[in-house]
Amino acid sequence: MSRVAIGSRDNQITMALARIAHDEQAPGRVAPQTENSGQPWVVANFWKNVLAIQKSRAQTGCVEKTTLSLAVAAAPGASDPLALQEQRARDFLETGRYRKARDEIKPLCKINRAKYLPLLIQANQGLMREMISKGQISEAQQVLAYLKTIAPPSEWRALDLELAARGDNWNAVLANVVSMMTDSRQSLTESEKQCAADRLVLTFLPIPAGLPGAAQLAGETQAVHDALRALAEQQFERVQEALRLIPHGSIFGQWKMFVKGLVAFYSGDFARAGRFFLELPADSVTEKACRPYLVLMDQTDGRFDGRLSETAVEAIGHITGQPALGSVLSKADRCWKNQRPADSYRLMRALADFPSDKTDALGALSDFYFNALFVLPHDIADSYAQFLEELEVRGQTKSAIELQMILRVLPLYLEHAMDPLTLKLKWESFVRVHEQTHGASPRLASLAHAWLGRALAEPRQAFGFFCRQKTSLRDPAGAVQALRKSVELDPAHLDAHLKLCAVYESLKKFSERNRLLDVMTQQFPDDKEVLLQAGRGCLDRKAYLKGLEYLERAHHLDPLDASVADLIVAARFRLVGQHFRAGRHHPARQGMEQIKGLVVEKPDHFARNRWCVLTRHGLLEETFGDRPQGELLLAQARAASPFPAAFLFFAQIARRVETPAGVANTPFRAELEMVCKENASIAHAATLFRIYRYWKLMLNRGFPDEENLLRQYLRNAIRKPFTRPEAVALLELAESHPSFRAEIQNLVNKMLAQDPDDPLFRLHRHLLQPGSMVSSERARGDLQAIIKEAARRGDDKTAQLARNILDRMSIPPPLPLPMEDPFEELFEDEDEDGDFPGLPAEQLEAFQDTIAMLAGMSEAERRKTRKSLSKHIPDVLLDLLMKMSRNGGLPPLPPLPVPSLSELVPKPPAPSAGPKTAPPSPAQLNLFNP
Amino acid sequence: MNPHLVLDVPLDADDNRIRKTYLAAVKASPPDTHPVRFQQISEAYQKIKDEPSRLKYHLFNKSCPGDSPLDVFIRHARINLKPKPLSFEAMKGFLRSCAKI
């Protein structure tokens, strides 16, 4: 054998080999070395091997370098080439790649049949099993035919049986198994006997009588069949009787165990059933059959849950009385796990009773399919919601229940993404459909409308001119309407009343709120929250006695609620002040006695601690009543106060509040200025800040003079030494007061002078810089350095703050609206045709483009776009654009050019003659009323 | 999972029946011996104990009863597992199909 000889046999392959060999190894190396090895049979085998492999590759049209290198590696001189190839074949076998393993072993088998035949048989067996499991029966039969030519019967008998069973040819199976088991010449292994027993049972056919040696086999098989039949009829005693015919050590032993397990399962003894099932041999028919039962008993130990076969799922369906569900569920589950919820839902939808609102399995699955929106990843949930919405919008829902479920879940899921109008329409449709399917339920309708009212009353940020931020309600008119309806439908619905009350208050509709509160106090006379609200309402309209009556009732209901007591004290002080000013000293002092009953011993509780109450009482007495008594009370207050400046500052503001307006130069002021110069400290400054904040929040007004005093005090305090915790406490108080910016800046600078890397103060320095929220390389760098340093020091709070600021930087600033809040009036009365002052032409055009774009979209696309736009455009504007896109867009613009806002305003016609062009009507210019 | 199913009461059961069933269930599954079941029963009862709770559950329930359809189905089946044996023919078909897995 030589290379020339090979070339003459298959010139083309030889040339290819030579070319690749040239690339792989130095040409001339393989052959000369091989030829010089002095072992002609090795050389011959080498080239034979190469050719065999290459031929198989050439047939498929691909000559691979790796194949050649395998052959080259197999050459004498290379390191143990056959071992390498064998190893590769074994690797393929181990990883279940039987076809590749077979292809690797075949040439090896030609070299050394005795050694490699077992591997070849193993590869073919594996391949056959794979084909059987994939249902490739005819291909498996071909492999079996080949296997029969190379392997003894013991190697293929079980597979032969399995193949026969696959073909559902049970008579043939029976004949084969019986002959195999009764033939004394054949010695069967235990596993073969087991397999044969399984097949005999599965034929569910009687073994013909009279066959030599088959009597026992026939009896035991019949016993298993009888036991299964009795089980199906729930005749558990008959089952036991039948099983007694199967002796200990029988090849049907596992069937006996399986049936016993079933009896225990259906008798409710799950522990016993589990014990039987878990003893069944792995991968036997009985073990596979017990899997659904183990799953139902929750005794799988996580073995099959993730990979239950379709058969097992179908069986669970059968066992639980849902035979139709099993196969559909298996497919739907696969779709779901492949993140295709809409496809999964489509499959389930084919079932007649799905979706369902009952408590059966279909009801549970319906709950799952709709509520899954709240747990799916956002992108998948969004597209799934879109699918559900399309069913609804296109009128393709299969039943009223499906429509109702879609109409319920979409507003709940898209509560913040839907524009108010759509939210309202869908939710009201849901209530209507629910009434149709379940009958009218005023309570349910009331709850539903209250939810809508709450959703429409959500506060949101609106942006006025120059991005001035204002908080408004999402749809105030809609919210009021929904909440009123809720209250009408169920007058006992407390939450709806309270929410309506809060909405009126935020809309500053105080008369409506007060009327409602009057109704509420009659409807809910013993509800603390109602009484508290009613009390507040009365205080607002200076009906102190009535307010106090409500508040006292609330206090009686919950004496531990400090906020009620605070409100009572505030109300009493107002009443006492009124009495003092009117000269009614006796009732005033009686009122003071009642206040003293609510005094607390907390120095920082300025609403009703002892020294604050004494101060206010002293001031009232001093000004309107008994002056010496007042001075005495003030002296007591000073002594009880935590430090002189606190008393002086509190008294300064209290005097301004309690005594005639305009009194700024009180005796306290001069003393405070002196204390301020001498004894100012950051710790005390924090207390003064709290006093200032208390008065400001309580009376909802500012005190510019006292603010200046505080500023002065703060400046002096910053000049003196202070600790970091004191500075942090003050910062937390002062950061919400922009008027103290300069003082805060000083404080921060002083702290940074001590510790230049302090992350908290660096963050404050960053925030105090103009444009600190504008994204820039420098700002980002600063914040990242702060985060790093805060993480190093374990200051998680500062790190999180800095991260939040970084995140906000990535959001583009909102577009400014052209006027302060043009929508406020619109909310008041949507039908009003008020003139819209107009927009710059380019913005108007941009809006028109956006509206046109939205108008061309489906509702679902519109919503998706809205979601993405909401990062850049205020919600209030988006809602209007959405509304207009549905109504067909903006009215036509006046002819271009549209140079400025003022020119869009209609002007009186010029006196000169000539063709008159009609000016655009106000309605045309009104962007919000097309 | 649907609280009516957990407590095994019909959807139209009134407060009285739900309470009776709840008390019976708690008696059957006390917290010291059946802590998981007890918790399920208590949570279910809180959801449907009176009409406002039931209506709120009906309207605003957002809880997803499982991880996948199969998981839900199995969980549902486990709650009130009262199976009946398969018919002989169904069992025959099931066992034969197991041989093909």
Side-chain angles (χ1 to χ4, degrees):
Chain A
M1 181 77 66
S2 70
R3 285 204 311 173
V4 177
I6 293 165
S8 64
R9 282 175 60 195
D10 196 330
N11 195 42
Q12 199 178 355
I13 292 174
T14 311
M15 291 300 285
L17 283 172
R19 268 204 309 277
I20 301 164
H22 179 80
D23 296 339
E24 284 287 318
Q25 287 194 327
R29 182 180 160 229
V30 178
Q33 271 189 358
T34 319
E35 283 163 358
N36 294 338
S37 63
Q39 293 172 311
W41 65 271
V42 174
V43 177
N45 272 342
F46 160 65
W47 286 112
K48 199 174 161 188
N49 189 14
V50 168
L51 262 184
I53 295 164
Q54 287 309 317
K55 269 186 179 173
S56 70
R57 293 285 183 257
Q59 277 167 3
T60 58
C62 66
V63 179
E64 292 173 7
K65 274 188 169 189
T66 47
T67 314
L68 182 69
S69 45
L70 186 153
V72 170
S79 61
D80 205 0
L82 296 180
L84 279 175
Q85 190 170 353
E86 183 188 338
Q87 186 54 48
R88 218 169 2 254
R90 285 185 189 280
D91 288 347
F92 283 137
L93 276 177
E94 271 177 26
T95 52
R97 297 163 76 188
Y98 299 110
R99 196 182 289 273
K100 276 190 173 282
R102 187 190 64 177
D103 292 346
E104 290 286 347
I105 301 163
K106 263 188 177 174
L108 289 174
C109 219
K110 285 178 184 168
I111 295 168
N112 188 346
R113 186 178 173 81
K115 184 177 176 185
Y116 296 112
L117 188 62
L119 280 181
L120 186 62
I121 291 170
Q122 198 184 337
N124 278 294
Q125 285 172 327
L127 184 60
M128 198 176 155
R129 280 196 198 93
E130 191 180 300
M131 287 168 166
I132 289 173
S133 71
K134 286 180 182 170
Q136 297 167 339
I137 303 300
S138 59
E139 289 88 339
Q141 277 166 345
Q142 285 174 20
V143 178
L144 179 66
Y146 174 66
L147 202 55
K148 283 180 178 175
T149 64
I150 60 167
S154 60
E155 297 290 348
W156 47 260
R157 244 182 340 231
L159 286 168
D160 192 13
L161 274 178
E162 196 168 340
L163 204 55
R166 287 277 166 164
D168 285 337
N169 186 356
W170 297 105
N171 283 314
V173 172
L174 181 68
N176 280 345
V177 176
V178 172
S179 74
M180 193 170 86
M181 294 186 80
T182 53
D183 187 354
S184 56
R185 288 167 300 173
Q186 293 194 33
S187 60
L188 300 179
T189 62
E190 273 309 305
S191 68
E192 281 173 343
K193 281 181 191 168
Q194 196 55 67
C195 182
D198 285 353
R199 303 303 152 193
L200 272 182
V201 172
L202 294 179
T203 59
F204 287 98
L205 294 169
I207 296 173
L211 281 175
Q216 193 187 350
L217 211 57
E220 290 177 21
T221 311
Q222 191 57 44
V224 175
H225 290 164
D226 287 347
L228 287 170
R229 202 181 299 274
L231 180 79
E233 291 162 10
Q234 299 191 57
Q235 302 287 324
F236 297 144
E237 283 184 14
R238 260 178 56 209
V239 175
Q240 301 293 359
E241 281 169 24
L243 290 178
R244 270 186 217 115
L245 298 174
I246 301 169
H248 187 70
S250 160
I251 55 168
F252 295 97
Q254 59 163 312
W255 283 94
K256 189 175 177 176
M257 211 179 299
F258 173 66
V259 177
K260 278 185 172 182
L262 289 181
V263 170
F265 175 79
Y266 288 117
S267 307
D269 188 350
F270 293 163
R272 184 175 156 83
R275 278 199 301 277
F276 281 121
F277 289 149
L278 290 170
E279 280 182 30
L280 295 169
D283 280 332
S284 63
V285 173
T286 48
E287 188 267 338
K288 287 171 188 168
C290 80
R291 287 177 187 176
Y293 296 95
L294 284 171
V295 167
L296 284 174
M297 294 187 297
D298 199 8
Q299 293 186 21
T300 59
D301 297 331
R303 270 181 290 185
F304 329 114
D305 284 358
R307 50 187 173 86
L308 267 181
S309 67
E310 199 167 317
T311 308
V313 177
E314 279 181 36
I316 294 175
H318 276 284
I319 296 163
T320 54
Q322 302 275 347
L325 190 54
S327 60
V328 177
L329 187 65
S330 182
K331 292 184 188 89
D333 192 65
R334 220 173 13 249
C335 277
W336 189 273
K337 284 171 181 161
N338 290 332
Q339 304 200 322
R340 287 158 47 209
D343 291 341
S344 180
Y345 183 82
R346 268 193 211 103
L347 285 167
M348 291 298 295
R349 214 166 163 252
L351 292 168
D353 295 329
F354 183 87
S356 156
D357 60 352
K358 295 181 184 154
T359 54
D360 56 6
L362 289 178
L365 283 163
S366 306
D367 276 352
F368 168 77
Y369 272 96
F370 288 97
N371 289 349
L373 275 176
F374 304 105
V375 291
L376 282 170
H378 287 307
D379 50 341
I380 297 172
D382 283 352
S383 62
Y384 182 39
Q386 192 176 332
F387 158 76
L388 291 175
E389 190 176 17
E390 275 168 17
L391 287 180
E392 185 252 318
V393 171
R394 292 178 184 172
Q396 291 173 343
T397 46
K398 65 182 272 193
S399 64
I401 294 290
E402 186 178 55
L403 179 62
Q404 175 206 308
M405 287 182 158
I406 293 175
L407 286 171
R408 182 191 83 95
V409 81
L410 285 180
L412 288 179
Y413 174 64
L414 298 166
E415 182 189 340
H416 301 290
M418 264 184 190
D419 61 289
L421 183 65
T422 315
L423 186 73
K424 194 174 156 186
L425 288 175
K426 286 210 189 297
W427 192 247
E428 286 177 349
S429 304
F430 160 67
V431 177
R432 267 198 307 279
V433 176
H434 193 278
E435 273 183 13
Q436 286 164 15
T437 52
H438 293 80
S441 165
R443 278 191 167 182
L444 183 131
S446 170
L447 271 176
H449 281 98
W451 178 85
L452 181 64
R454 186 200 52 74
L456 297 178
E458 285 277 306
R460 62 165 178 192
Q461 302 299 317
F463 292 88
F465 209 26
F466 297 121
C467 294
R468 198 138 56 88
Q469 212 164 322
K470 288 186 79 174
T471 301
S472 67
L473 304 189
R474 201 170 165 196
D475 177 6
V480 169
Q481 192 189 9
L483 288 165
R484 270 187 188 157
K485 190 155 189 180
S486 172
V487 167
E488 272 169 29
L489 283 164
D490 181 8
H493 191 174
L494 173 61
D495 288 347
H497 280 89
L498 287 171
K499 188 69 201 171
L500 183 57
C501 191
V503 170
Y504 279 145
E505 191 162 329
S506 58
L507 294 175
K508 297 188 170 54
K509 292 185 171 179
F510 297 115
S511 53
E512 279 92 337
R513 183 200 62 175
N514 293 338
R515 270 199 296 275
L516 179 67
L517 280 169
D518 284 342
V519 173
M520 284 166 71
T521 48
Q522 287 169 12
Q523 183 77 27
F524 312 100
D526 295 325
D527 187 87
K528 187 186 87 176
E529 191 56 34
V530 170
L531 294 169
L532 204 58
Q533 294 282 354
R536 278 202 191 104
C538 288
L539 297 191
D540 286 348
R541 56 181 196 262
K542 297 185 178 167
Y544 300 129
L545 283 174
K546 196 176 174 188
L548 273 166
E549 186 198 322
Y550 290 136
L551 292 172
E552 292 288 1
R553 274 161 61 188
H555 185 62
H556 180 71
L557 289 169
D558 186 0
L560 298 178
D561 189 337
S563 65
V564 181
D566 288 354
L567 214 52
I568 289 175
V569 169
R572 289 219 173 277
F573 263 122
R574 289 192 197 180
L575 192 61
V576 164
Q578 214 174 43
H579 285 318
F580 267 122
R581 278 188 281 276
R584 297 190 293 267
H585 295 156
H586 182 64
R589 284 174 190 138
Q590 274 185 332
M592 281 312 305
E593 286 308 311
Q594 284 167 323
I595 289 173
K596 281 171 189 167
L598 292 170
V599 158
V600 290
E601 299 298 336
K602 291 180 186 169
D604 274 3
H605 197 111
F606 307 117
R608 52 192 171 100
N609 71 35
R610 183 167 302 282
W611 70 270
C612 292
V613 169
L614 285 170
T615 307
R616 293 178 77 176
H617 186 194
L619 286 169
L620 287 167
E621 284 284 3
E622 188 189 39
T623 316
F624 304 106
D626 183 350
R627 193 179 176 86
Q629 175 66 16
E631 283 168 359
L632 182 67
L633 287 168
L634 286 172
Q636 286 173 0
R638 183 191 285 259
S641 68
F643 56 95
F647 164 74
L648 293 168
F649 193 60
F650 187 88
Q652 166 69 20
I653 303 179
R655 183 164 188 118
R656 184 185 283 281
V657 173
E658 306 287 7
T659 58
V663 181
N665 291 320
T666 66
F668 309 112
R669 185 186 177 111
E671 196 180 342
L672 186 62
E673 280 172 352
M674 208 161 67
V675 171
C676 171
K677 279 178 194 162
E678 291 166 5
N679 296 321
S681 75
I682 288 291
H684 289 175
T687 304
L688 299 192
F689 240 112
R690 286 193 200 99
I691 292 171
Y692 179 71
R693 200 172 57 173
Y694 162 72
W695 283 110
K696 197 175 171 183
L697 288 178
M698 193 179 74
L699 300 173
N700 197 20
R701 54 171 274 208
F703 301 91
D705 285 336
E706 284 70 28
E707 195 175 303
N708 279 333
L709 274 172
L710 180 57
R711 188 172 291 115
Q712 206 181 325
Y713 186 93
L714 203 53
R715 279 184 201 145
N716 291 331
I718 291 169
R719 286 194 201 107
K720 294 179 179 164
F722 53 86
T723 62
R724 187 179 186 277
E726 285 171 348
V728 172
L730 186 69
L731 259 185
E732 282 171 2
L733 283 166
E735 64 190 357
S736 56
H737 295 268
S739 54
F740 290 91
R741 188 192 180 96
E743 289 71 33
I744 299 299
Q745 182 93 55
N746 286 342
L747 182 82
V748 168
N749 288 343
K750 192 162 177 186
M751 284 307 296
L752 286 174
Q754 290 171 23
D755 179 2
D757 293 330
D758 190 315
L760 177 65
F761 291 96
R762 278 170 70 189
L763 184 64
H764 277 280
R765 183 176 62 188
H766 174 85
L767 289 172
L768 286 164
Q769 285 164 5
S772 59
M773 292 305 293
V774 179
S775 178
S776 69
E777 281 303 310
R778 194 179 153 198
R780 288 181 165 277
D782 273 359
L783 288 169
Q784 273 152 4
I786 290 167
I787 292 169
K788 200 174 166 186
E789 181 62 19
R792 196 183 70 76
R793 296 187 184 205
D795 186 354
D796 297 337
K797 196 177 162 189
T798 304
Q800 190 54 48
L801 276 171
R803 261 184 227 114
N804 290 348
I805 295 167
L806 257 181
D807 290 346
R808 279 192 64 181
M809 278 181 173
S810 58
I811 302 170
L815 291 177
L817 289 185
M819 53 191 294
E820 188 166 329
D821 195 348
F823 313 107
E824 216 158 52
E825 283 184 11
L826 194 80
F827 292 146
E828 291 294 325
D829 186 359
E830 285 196 345
D831 296 325
E832 199 176 303
D833 278 347
D835 279 357
F836 185 69
L839 290 164
E842 56 275 281
Q843 265 198 14
L844 207 57
E845 277 182 51
F847 286 163
Q848 197 168 37
D849 288 346
T850 311
I851 291 164
M853 179 185 81
L854 289 168
M857 292 178 172
S858 70
E859 190 56 38
E861 288 169 334
R862 224 177 271 164
R863 194 155 34 256
K864 210 168 180 178
T865 312
R866 186 190 189 284
K867 212 171 177 182
S868 60
L869 286 176
S870 64
K871 291 176 185 169
H872 314 293
I873 302 178
D875 283 352
V876 66
L877 180 55
L878 263 179
D879 290 345
L880 286 160
L881 293 178
M882 296 281 283
K883 190 174 168 184
M884 299 196 72
S885 67
R886 276 191 212 98
N887 294 342
L890 279 168
L893 282 172
L896 287 172
V898 190
S900 71
L901 186 71
S902 57
E903 286 179 37
L904 281 170
V905 179
K907 288 173 184 165
S912 61
K916 286 182 181 175
T917 311
S921 72
Q924 266 181 300
L925 293 172
N926 190 345
L927 185 64
F928 307 105
N929 196 357
Chain B
M1 201 53 73
N2 192 322
H4 289 90
L5 178 72
V6 176
L7 290 177
D8 198 17
V9 288
L11 288 170
D12 58 355
D14 61 7
D15 295 1
N16 200 21
R17 176 160 180 193
I18 291 171
R19 180 152 181 84
K20 275 185 183 169
T21 314
Y22 163 69
L23 292 175
V26 167
K27 201 173 174 184
S29 308
D32 47 346
T33 53
H34 299 81
V36 178
R37 173 78 182 142
F38 177 79
Q39 197 182 342
Q40 284 177 345
I41 293 166
S42 304
E43 283 173 7
Y45 178 64
Q46 289 304 318
K47 285 177 188 167
I48 57 169
K49 63 180 179 185
D50 50 25
E51 199 194 359
S53 310
R54 285 195 291 279
L55 292 177
K56 272 184 191 165
Y57 174 79
H58 192 64
L59 277 176
F60 309 120
N61 163 41
K62 292 182 184 177
S63 61
C64 194
D67 300 330
S68 70
L70 184 56
D71 180 44
V72 172
F73 181 56
I74 290 169
R75 281 177 194 229
H76 176 272
R78 279 175 187 162
I79 286 181
N80 280 318
L81 190 56
K82 292 167 191 162
K84 281 187 180 176
L86 302 184
S87 69
F88 183 65
E89 285 305 312
M91 177 57 90
K92 204 158 104 176
F94 168 55
L95 290 173
R96 282 179 173 173
S97 60
C98 285
K100 295 177 183 177
I101 296 170

